[in-house]
Amino acid sequence: MNAGRAWEAASTPPRLSQIVILIGAPEEVRRTGAKVTAPARLLRAWRLLTMLDREMHAGPYNDETCRRVGRLFNRVRGEVLASVSAPLAEEVRHLIPALDEHPRAVDTRLACSGARGWLDSLVTSMLLQLGSQAAGAPAAPRHAPSMPRRDASG
C-alpha cells in the first residue's frame, strides 16, 4: 500500500452504525412502531427548542423576535420529524403544527411550550431506554402518576 492510500485510509473516519432507540416495552413498540431513528439529531433539536422556549418566556420581544423564533421553531419541528419513526412523526404533525410566517407572541410561546412538553417526554423515554440497555436490563414501562381518588363527599 502506498503512503497516499495509507494516509487516506487512516484519515477516513470509520462508518458508524445508525442507532435506533425503541420507545417503550417490546410489545408496545411492535404495536405502536415508536422509534427514535436519529437520537443525536433529536437531542440537538430538543436543546434548541429549550432555548427558544426560554427566550419566548423571558421577554421582552418584538415582532422580529417572534418571526425569528417562529422560523427556528419550524426548523426544529422538521428536525424532530426527520428523527423519529413514521408513527411518531404523524403524532408530531398532529400535536405540534408548524407556525405561520408571522406568528403572534402568544402563538409562538404556546407552540414552544407544547412542543417542549412533548419532546421532554420523548427524550426522557429515549434516555431511559438507553440507560436500561447499557445496564443490560429491559426498561420498565413508565406509567403516568396516579391521581389520589376523592370520595363522593369531596
Side-chain angles (χ1 to χ4, degrees):
M1 181 185 274
N2 68 29
R5 286 187 183 219
W7 179 83
E8 186 178 279
S11 66
T12 305
R15 285 203 126 150
L16 299 176
S17 61
Q18 184 170 351
I19 297 172
V20 173
I21 300 172
L22 309 177
I23 303 299
E27 59 279 352
E28 182 182 359
V29 173
R30 280 191 291 277
R31 186 176 43 79
T32 66
K35 300 173 191 168
V36 175
T37 57
R41 180 185 235 176
L42 185 74
L43 287 172
R44 284 189 300 272
W46 174 63
R47 181 67 183 134
L48 179 55
L49 181 64
T50 299
M51 290 187 298
L52 294 174
D53 187 45
R54 285 185 184 149
E55 181 177 347
M56 285 308 298
H57 284 83
Y61 38 81
N62 55 29
D63 290 341
E64 180 52 38
T65 302
C66 290
R67 281 193 299 277
R68 182 183 57 76
V69 170
R71 283 190 306 272
L72 289 170
F73 174 85
N74 288 338
R75 282 191 207 153
V76 166
R77 183 178 177 272
E79 290 295 308
V80 172
L81 288 169
S83 302
V84 298
S85 61
L88 282 178
E90 186 57 38
E91 195 172 311
V92 170
R93 285 184 197 92
H94 179 72
L95 294 175
I96 307 171
L99 290 171
D100 64 23
E101 194 172 313
H102 299 284
R104 297 179 306 157
V106 67
D107 297 330
T108 306
R109 280 195 313 270
L110 286 171
C112 287
S113 293
R116 185 168 174 210
W118 186 88
L119 204 50
D120 282 351
S121 178
L122 179 61
V123 167
T124 300
S125 295
M126 181 182 81
L127 293 174
L128 284 171
Q129 286 294 105
L130 281 174
S132 67
Q133 289 172 7
R142 290 185 6 171
H143 300 285
S146 58
M147 298 297 289
R149 294 184 184 215
R150 301 182 106 186
D151 61 8
S153 64

